[in-house]
Amino acid sequence: MADPILKIRDLSTSFFTEEGKVNAVDSVTFDVEDGEIFGIVGESGSGKSVTALSVIDLIDSPGRVTGGEVWYRNADLAEEFRGSRPEAVDGDFVDVRRLPKGVRRSLRGPSFSMIFQDAMSSFNPSITVGEQIAEAVEVQRRARANPRRTRSRTQGYGLGSAILDTFLPNRDYVSNESMDRAVELLDQVGIPDPEDRAEEYPHQFSGGMLQRAMIAQALAGEPDILVADEPTTALDVTIQAQILNLLRDLQEQEGMSILMITHNLGVIARMCDRVGVMYAGEIVERGPLGDIFENPVHPYTQGLLGSVPDIDDPSDRLEPITGNVPSLLESEMPDACYFADRCPKAMTDCMTRIPEYDLDGRHSVRCVLAEREYDEADALEQEVMADD
Amino acid sequence: MTDPLLSVRDLQKYYYEQDTFVDTLLGRERQSVKAVDGISFDIEPGETLGLVGESGCGKSTTGETLLRLREATGGAVEFDGENVFEMGSDELKAFRKDAQIVFQDPFSSLDPRMTIGDIIAEPLRIHDMPTDPGDKSKREWRRDKASELLERVGLSATQLDRYPHEFSGGQRQRIGVARALALEPEFIVLDEPVSALDVSVQAQVLNLLDDLQTELGLTYLFIAHDLSVVRHICDRVAVMYLGNIVELGPTDELFESPKHPYTEALLESVPRPSTREQGRRVDALSGDVPSPRNPPSGCRFRTRCPKVIPPDDLDIDQEAYRAVMDLRDALVVGDVNPDHIWETADPERVDEEAFIEEARARHVDAELRGDVASVVDTALGHLVDGDVEQTQTVLRETFESPCETRRPGVGDTTHPAACHLYEGSDEVEVIETTADAPVSADD
Ligand SMILES: Nc1ncnc2c1ncn2[C@@H]1O[C@H](COP(=O)(O)OP(=O)(O)O)[C@@H](O)[C@H]1O
Ligand code: SF4
Ligand code: SF4
Ligand SMILES: [Mg+2]
């Protein structure tokens, strides 16, 4: 198999808040293969979004990526830095975290791009949709023409209102070609009458249409990797189906890879080749879709799958996981498997930090059951309390 | 069959916009949003009726209007044989005990300044319950009752004096349920009660609702957009689209043999958490739901329906027909702009053939053949001089569908579907012939 496009190794991110240190992402490791859709699934607060933002280097204060590597396959960059920063280069890969800040920023757009759940807040309400997309095109155009100069203007383009709103593009900055390209992109993502739609403002778009426009904006830089954080969560199911079809088509046409983040196991199943399951900041199980859905080893993965009502077979009573998602405050995190307090198979062995076990080179899991059978004699005593 | 506990007939709820005094002064025409437009259903004692549909289709308005939390525009609701909209204050008070509601948002539906105990006991206080507290004070009685309810929904009575912010989403939703149970109702409207919850917690709350129903003999109207949840918990299901019920039937039957094309599309769209789902490509419905300010004539679903019915005398395959209807809808919403077509086809505006070809490429999403192709080309020819109206007229003459001229009714069977494809829906009100009423797509 070809090398992956992205290798994430032991990535950790914490937020330093008034209550203390919150370990939102804890030693996360996964690959994204060339042209695949890799899914990350988990419940709210499990660290999915922070993982995405950490990968594309968008963590802001009070958060900080505290460790780990983000290896990105890019022969040109590897060549450029082999001499000056050998520690940041490994074959054709560069560790994005060890590249100079300016270079890191310049990767947003042509290397990494991102779409979000809430399209409305990633557009500036007072600028037409076409101009905002054209701006993204323009930035890439100029960056390509003059790789070092325009970088500062590319900062975070298309990556959220917080950054976008800090500079208002004006007409002078957007060339006609960029505007034409914006219309083309709108057409490519299935917006009818793109010439007129380009002149409209975000509030004139429906939810589904704005989601398409955001995808168009993310495509402006022809990214290698598209990070999609809950891209269909706010949409109705028939519109969700449209957007999922669109993402798959674009992925095939453009040959990009997608890191797909969602809480919806059905979306994962439809879209992804491989998947990582997150719980309390960790990827607790990871592997090909079939392995995860049909032979899950981690009791959390099993519990998650058992909690979803089956639309095609209503007979079973749901088997929820008892209790709630834990706090990620470092001071409250146990020196044990983070799932131990809710796990029906918790044993005395689980009262230590659990490493990631590799099952067969493709499927890995953070659970002692990878190595041993459950034995009631070793069971931990648990107070089982509903939802508490 | 027993008498229904709740019986809804032709319920209508319109909201009005531009309805202020100033609007009247300025001569603005008051605009109605037909949120619920004539729906009927019964709920039997002890059953759970699901109400599903996409956001904005009128589910919550239905729930709130039938509880008389909003004033109905038309129709009638009977609860236990009594007309809810004509109840006097005493009857209404009794109704407000018997029929409760639980809202979706566990974060905004509980008053943050009240303790959990007070929140749960509040309905009792409002109704000045109990009438006879025995040897306790009323306050003590209510507190004990709140403890009991808290434990009943799976929380601990020791949490009585805590505040909502100290609880998770799932716990708050349990608190909402406890409050709804305080007056020992017969009927509860559950408005998206688990939509805001994570799946593992959602499953806990669903099991709880199930248990409570069995133990207390409750009747539910379960409003949701998640079809998997609905399949799991409901006895019968009503599917709503743009203010109408389009299909209603026993759950298994509706999920296994859906009748209405909209129900079929909904079920087809849902992503299944199973390996069989991998790479499945859904024939997604095209377009957005039209605005309820200006719903399409005839069948509300016709602008997106893959089975929209061609006129009898027209020989056309379904895909081509849908494509032509999409072109017609695009003309109505103003998505066809002759200037742009010219710009691409021939900026000099001479080559009419190139124009028509470009118009087809842009706006007709199927291969057309024979007469159909020539009618469409003739129609597009009128766009050459920007005559959108004539284009529409030509298309309408050949392609007008019974689905746009006649509104399908819901037949009176055990599994009705409001669609001309089903005999059950033959009683048809004749609606205005369409002057291509605008079907604004997304505002
Ligand atoms: N800006 C922030 N400040 C403090 N904590 C944060 C911030 N953003 C996220 N977190 C915390 O990080 C954890 C993971 O959050 P997130 O990645 O958003 O989860 P998910 O996307 O899986 O719902 C949560 O405990 C969340 O509260
Ligand atoms: S390590 Fe132990 S507690 Fe953790 S998931 Fe596995 S069995 Fe359960
Ligand atoms: S009446 Fe016509 S448009 Fe409406 S659902 Fe049936 S076939 Fe489709
Ligand atoms: Mg998130």
Side-chain angles (χ1 to χ4, degrees):
Chain A
M1 207 197 284
D3 278 335
I5 184 81
L6 197 63
K7 294 193 289 189
I8 306 299
R9 293 292 174 269
D10 297 317
L11 195 63
S12 295
T13 299
S14 297
F15 289 90
F16 298 85
T17 69
E18 267 169 37
E19 290 102 282
K21 184 177 172 204
V22 177
N23 295 332
V25 174
D26 195 344
S27 259
V28 158
T29 291
F30 62 92
D31 291 350
V32 179
E33 305 289 343
D34 218 353
E36 84 162 339
I37 304 184
F38 183 82
I40 294 185
V41 66
E43 299 182 276
S44 46
S46 61
K48 305 181 297 296
S49 298
V50 177
T51 300
L53 295 172
S54 306
V55 167
I56 64 170
D57 199 18
L58 276 180
I59 296 292
D60 267 338
S61 169
R64 184 155 52 79
V65 178
T66 54
E69 293 135 37
V70 176
W71 293 102
Y72 164 50
R73 183 157 59 79
N74 184 315
D76 294 343
L77 280 176
E79 206 44 56
E80 188 176 341
F81 289 98
R82 207 179 302 280
S84 57
R85 298 210 178 199
E87 73 284 2
V89 178
D90 180 10
D92 279 350
F93 285 86
V94 288
D95 178 5
V96 173
R97 292 197 55 226
R98 283 186 275 195
L99 295 179
K101 201 161 181 65
V103 177
R104 269 154 52 189
R105 272 201 221 117
S106 74
L107 298 179
R108 289 177 212 147
S111 296
F112 305 96
S113 203
M114 187 158 178
I115 58 175
F116 303 88
Q117 169 173 341
D118 182 6
M120 195 52 95
S121 70
S122 70
F123 280 99
N124 185 322
S126 54
I127 302 174
T128 66
V129 169
E131 265 177 285
Q132 297 189 56
I133 297 171
E135 172 89 359
V137 173
E138 186 75 32
V139 161
Q140 302 305 338
R141 217 174 265 279
R142 296 190 182 197
R144 227 167 289 153
N146 190 351
R148 288 287 179 265
R149 289 285 280 287
T150 41
R151 273 192 179 131
S152 62
R153 298 214 64 166
T154 77
Q155 179 173 12
Y157 197 80
L159 299 174
S161 62
I163 312 160
L164 251 176
D165 283 348
T166 56
F167 71 102
L168 295 185
N170 53 51
R171 271 286 186 188
D172 309 339
Y173 186 51
V174 172
S175 65
N176 284 341
E177 296 94 84
S178 295
M179 202 60 194
D180 289 349
R181 176 74 186 133
V183 170
E184 244 173 71
L185 285 164
L186 285 171
D187 188 41
Q188 193 186 358
V189 298
I191 302 229
D193 194 19
E195 292 95 336
D196 281 348
R197 279 336 206 44
E199 307 280 317
E200 292 181 4
Y201 291 88
H203 73 266
Q204 293 171 282
F205 279 57
S206 68
M209 286 298 161
L210 204 59
Q211 208 69 14
R212 288 175 191 269
M214 181 170 56
I215 293 171
Q217 189 181 43
L219 292 179
E222 299 170 21
D224 289 339
I225 297 148
L226 178 70
V227 178
D229 187 2
E230 305 270 8
T232 60
T233 299
L235 305 175
D236 281 318
V237 62
T238 63
I239 307 297
Q240 164 170 284
Q242 295 172 2
I243 298 292
L244 294 180
N245 284 350
L246 174 67
L247 283 173
R248 182 168 288 286
D249 291 346
L250 291 171
Q251 186 249 328
E252 282 165 12
Q253 288 159 22
E254 309 290 317
M256 63 187 175
S257 308
I258 298 180
L259 176 59
M260 178 90 161
I261 290 175
T262 174
H263 71 283
N264 187 322
L265 286 157
V267 170
I268 290 282
R270 185 177 297 170
M271 299 297 285
C272 299
D273 306 300
R274 295 182 313 121
V275 54
V277 179
M278 279 197 91
Y279 184 77
E282 295 181 325
I283 290 192
V284 294
E285 186 158 13
R286 172 162 58 87
L289 187 82
D291 291 11
I292 301 299
F293 276 63
E294 278 169 12
N295 299 304
V297 172
H298 200 288
Y300 177 68
T301 313
Q302 294 168 355
L304 199 58
L305 287 162
S307 299
V308 191
D310 184 345
I311 192 171
D312 301 310
D313 173 18
S315 53
D316 293 345
R317 188 173 164 89
L318 302 176
E319 286 169 25
I321 306 167
T322 56
N324 284 307
V325 179
S327 145
L328 300 182
L329 261 180
E330 189 172 75
S331 56
E332 291 177 14
M333 301 290 281
D335 243 346
C337 168
Y338 295 153
F339 191 55
D341 62 330
R342 303 172 75 189
C343 180
K345 296 186 178 162
M347 293 172 284
T348 45
D349 282 9
C350 310
M351 298 316 285
T352 167
R353 296 296 304 125
I354 314 290
E356 196 171 65
Y357 296 93
D358 185 0
L359 297 179
D360 58 7
R362 303 180 311 166
H363 185 176
S364 63
V365 62
R366 247 181 220 279
C367 170
V368 297
L369 294 171
E371 288 219 314
R372 57 163 298 176
E373 299 275 295
Y374 175 62
D375 185 350
E376 220 164 299
D378 299 338
L380 273 185
E381 279 178 42
Q382 294 205 28
E383 317 140 276
V384 181
M385 231 179 103
D387 200 2
D388 191 59
Chain B
M1 232 200 290
T2 46
D3 285 336
L5 178 64
L6 186 89
S7 171
V8 174
R9 287 296 169 270
D10 300 318
L11 186 68
Q12 279 181 324
K13 173 65 191 177
Y14 295 178
Y15 298 106
Y16 292 98
E17 292 176 345
Q18 301 191 354
D19 197 24
T20 64
F21 179 63
V22 177
D23 289 319
T24 315
L25 276 185
L26 294 174
R28 289 189 193 131
E29 202 165 324
R30 150 178 123 142
Q31 226 195 357
S32 67
V33 177
K34 298 175 176 166
V36 173
D37 201 11
I39 66 172
S40 304
F41 58 86
D42 289 341
I43 309 183
E44 307 295 328
E47 87 165 332
T48 300
L49 178 73
L51 195 56
V52 300
E54 299 180 278
S55 46
C57 72
K59 304 183 295 293
S60 295
T61 303
T62 301
E64 288 165 21
T65 309
L66 65 83
L67 288 181
R68 215 174 136 174
L69 299 174
R70 294 180 184 279
E71 198 188 331
T73 306
V77 173
E78 273 188 15
F79 183 80
D80 238 344
E82 279 185 79
N83 186 330
V84 173
F85 298 157
E86 284 168 8
M87 285 175 176
S89 62
D90 285 354
E91 293 159 303
L92 190 59
K93 199 166 175 204
F95 175 65
R96 295 244 176 277
K97 276 175 66 182
D98 285 341
Q100 295 293 323
I101 185 163
V102 174
F103 295 101
Q104 163 174 357
D105 185 358
F107 293 90
S108 64
S109 60
L110 304 179
D111 186 337
R113 291 155 307 182
M114 285 168 75
T115 65
I116 297 312
D118 288 341
I119 286 173
I120 297 174
E122 193 186 25
L124 294 165
R125 198 172 44 75
I126 290 171
H127 284 264
D128 198 24
M129 301 263 288
T131 31
D132 174 18
D135 51 6
K136 299 178 202 167
S137 74
K138 281 193 177 185
R139 230 191 108 73
E140 279 166 354
W141 189 94
R142 289 199 288 255
R143 198 178 154 81
D144 290 349
K145 177 85 180 174
S147 310
E148 189 189 311
L149 286 163
L150 209 50
E151 300 204 325
R152 186 62 214 78
V153 298
L155 297 172
S156 155
T158 58
Q159 297 171 318
L160 217 53
D161 296 317
R162 287 162 67 176
Y163 289 87
H165 73 263
E166 300 174 60
F167 294 85
S168 69
Q171 292 171 324
R172 290 189 213 199
Q173 205 52 300
R174 288 170 191 266
I175 294 163
V177 171
R179 178 178 54 184
L181 292 176
L183 296 167
E184 296 173 10
E186 288 177 71
F187 172 62
I188 306 182
V189 172
L190 300 159
D191 190 356
E192 304 259 13
V194 297
S195 303
L197 307 177
D198 277 314
V199 284
S200 68
V201 178
Q202 168 181 305
Q204 297 167 0
V205 174
L206 288 174
N207 283 349
L208 170 69
L209 292 170
D210 211 10
D211 294 343
L212 290 172
Q213 180 167 48
T214 316
E215 279 163 45
L216 307 174
L218 295 167
T219 304
Y220 292 149
L221 176 65
F222 190 94
I223 298 175
H225 66 269
D226 184 330
L227 290 147
S228 312
V229 167
V230 166
R231 170 126 212 214
H232 187 81
I233 200 159
C234 299
D235 300 304
R236 289 187 306 134
V237 177
V239 180
M240 281 189 86
Y241 186 80
L242 260 184
N244 291 159
I245 287 180
V246 297
E247 180 166 1
L248 197 164
T251 305
D252 287 344
E253 207 179 300
L254 186 127
F255 277 77
E256 277 153 30
S257 358
K259 287 181 174 172
H260 198 281
Y262 177 63
T263 313
E264 286 178 348
L266 271 184
L267 294 177
E268 156 87 4
S269 300
V270 176
R272 271 76 169 166
S274 134
T275 48
R276 285 189 307 280
E277 182 73 15
Q278 196 166 19
R280 184 166 76 91
R281 208 191 150 82
V282 169
D283 284 327
L285 286 179
S286 58
D288 279 314
V289 181
S291 161
R293 282 172 198 82
N294 212 337
S297 63
C299 174
R300 294 277 156 93
F301 186 52
R302 69 166 166 86
T303 58
R304 304 173 81 200
C305 179
K307 294 187 172 168
V308 58
I309 302 167
D312 274 343
D313 54 0
L314 188 69
D315 180 24
I316 186 170
D317 71 65
Q318 191 61 40
E319 205 186 321
Y321 187 60
R322 182 65 262 170
V324 175
M325 296 304 268
D326 284 345
L327 167 65
R328 294 183 59 207
D329 293 334
L331 286 158
V332 172
V333 299
D335 272 351
V336 180
N337 186 323
D339 292 340
H340 297 150
I341 301 174
W342 271 125
E343 241 148 75
T344 323
D346 176 13
E348 308 296 318
R349 300 188 175 228
V350 183
D351 188 346
E352 295 190 2
E353 224 158 275
F355 177 93
I356 292 175
E357 202 156 301
E358 173 64 19
R360 240 194 278 118
R362 279 179 180 236
H363 296 292
V364 186
D365 196 18
E367 210 55 57
L368 304 181
R369 271 174 283 111
D371 292 350
V372 168
S374 46
V375 175
V376 169
D377 282 357
T378 308
L380 293 174
H382 292 290
L383 288 179
V384 163
D385 340 294
D387 193 347
V388 174
E389 216 166 288
Q390 190 56 27
T391 310
Q392 289 179 317
T393 308
V394 171
L395 290 173
R396 183 166 58 241
E397 274 164 12
T398 307
F399 296 104
E400 186 166 72
S401 166
C403 302
E404 64 192 286
T405 50
R406 294 183 301 137
R407 177 94 162 261
V410 188
D412 196 15
T413 61
T414 56
H415 181 173
C419 168
H420 293 312
L421 293 169
Y422 294 92
E423 275 121 31
S425 70
D426 49 6
E427 57 302 293
V428 173
E429 318 151 37
V430 177
I431 301 289
E432 74 282 14
T433 50
T434 65
D436 276 313
V439 281
S440 153
D442 41 39
D443 48 7

